[in-house]
Amino acid sequence: MTDKPLDTGADLRKLVERLYPLCRSITGDGVRATLEILGEYIPLDVHEVPTGTQVLDWTVPREWNIRDAYVKDPSGRKVVDFQASNLHVVGYSVPVDEKMPLAELREHLHTLPDRPSWVPYRTSYYSPTWGFCLAQDTLDALPDGEYEVRIESTLDDGHLTYAEHVVPGEVTDEVLVSCHTCHPSLANDNVAGIAVAAALAQRLAEGKPHHTYRFLFMPGTIGAITWLARNTERLGKVKAGIVLACAGDPGSLHYKRSRRGDAEIDKVLEHVLAGKPHEILDFSPYGYDERQFCSPGFNLGVGSLTRTPYAGYPEYHTSADNLDFVSTEAMEDTLATLREAFSVLDRNRRYVNLSPYGEPQLGKRGLYDSLGGRSDAKAAQMAMLWVLNLSDGEHSLLDVAQRSGLPFDSVVAAAHALQGAGLLKE
């Protein structure tokens, strides 16, 4: 049992508030600090992959760290300050210590003219450059003159850092839950996802899940590529997966199907989401790390769960994706949906009817008697008949529930009763 359980929405909120201020990137001490905090809630196996390591078609980049950065106007006043917000510096900016006129500085400044009070989030991971992000209102108020520009950063050989947490199951077949850890102070994308994933790991560990659940906390794109390159021998055990992001905004839930389109996880999420506001999206090779897991050479059954999808809300990749933008209610709803989905996934089985020629007599096996007095006796009887009819080794219990329109729990209960009476074999 962890010393820091995530039992309530308030607990989730507190973790989000702790993680939000950290300056994360695809490498560096901000990622390590994030994982150190996360390790207080769930045990983590932290991996450090050296700069220059070949991972599939990519190479692990140099490690980036930053201590401070600012722009001072001609009067010496800081008009852009990294200490006020880590979004003010373009991620992976090279060191700078110069003085220059405003006209020259403007080439390195990024704003959102249509949202003049917001600061954008920008990066330049693989092209050495530097830059600052600021509000358009701030830029408009800057006077002409000479500006002092300073970025105290380092870009050296180091490591890419990622972490794993495993919840052992009854079988070694694995379900992946992946979150990206590379974004700085963006509360929904993806600190909320990290917090929900940690809470989900705690809940799963309270019982004995059927599958083994492997949680991955790693930088987007290069992190997933690195993990895949280092774990090719394990991929045959991966039966399903979810890339979790944008878990705390006020939008309705969106599930993006795997590349396969009909993987078990796709069917599970479509079933679970059917009773609440949601949208099902077809796969596309753009988005979060589902595109790495679903690249054609791997083609894993991994989908993506978000509330509002990436780039689908105005606050995306801006300073408006702050602590006020995420809610405990949204995070709790995302968590509850994942718990229900994995409950269905863990109990979904395929059976064979051992008496397939004609309808077996249920009464002489006491199955009808077991329904006596139950308010749902008719539904339970129908569930038995549907399970018997579709248990041909090809249809899963989820298939039965979908085709019959009966609750999944009723179908599972019917299968257990029929198996106990010797009529089904898993």
Side-chain angles (χ1 to χ4, degrees), residues 167-182:
V167 180
E170 296 172 348
V171 299
T172 58
D173 290 344
E174 292 190 357
V175 179
L176 303 180
V177 180
S178 175
C179 290
H180 58 272
T181 56
C182 52

Side-chain angles (χ1 to χ4, degrees), residues 24-68:
R24 284 166 289 271
S25 188
I26 57 173
T27 62
D29 292 334
V31 176
R32 295 187 187 96
T34 298
L35 298 178
E36 184 175 348
I37 290 173
L38 194 59
E40 299 174 17
Y41 296 83
I42 54 175
L44 293 177
D45 185 10
V46 178
H47 304 268
E48 298 273 9
V49 184
T51 296
T53 302
Q54 188 70 28
V55 286
L56 305 180
D57 195 45
W58 295 60
T59 303
V60 173
R62 290 187 293 171
E63 181 178 323
W64 184 72
N65 286 293
I66 182 167
R67 293 182 299 276
D68 196 13

Side-chain angles (χ1 to χ4, degrees), residues 285-318:
Y286 176 77
Y288 291 120
D289 282 331
E290 68 278 358
R291 68 189 196 273
Q292 310 307 333
F293 296 113
C294 294
S295 55
F298 298 120
N299 198 27
L300 299 175
V302 175
S304 173
L305 184 69
T306 61
R307 301 196 70 84
T308 308
Y310 43 82
Y313 52 98
E315 298 84 356
Y316 179 78
H317 280 194
T318 77

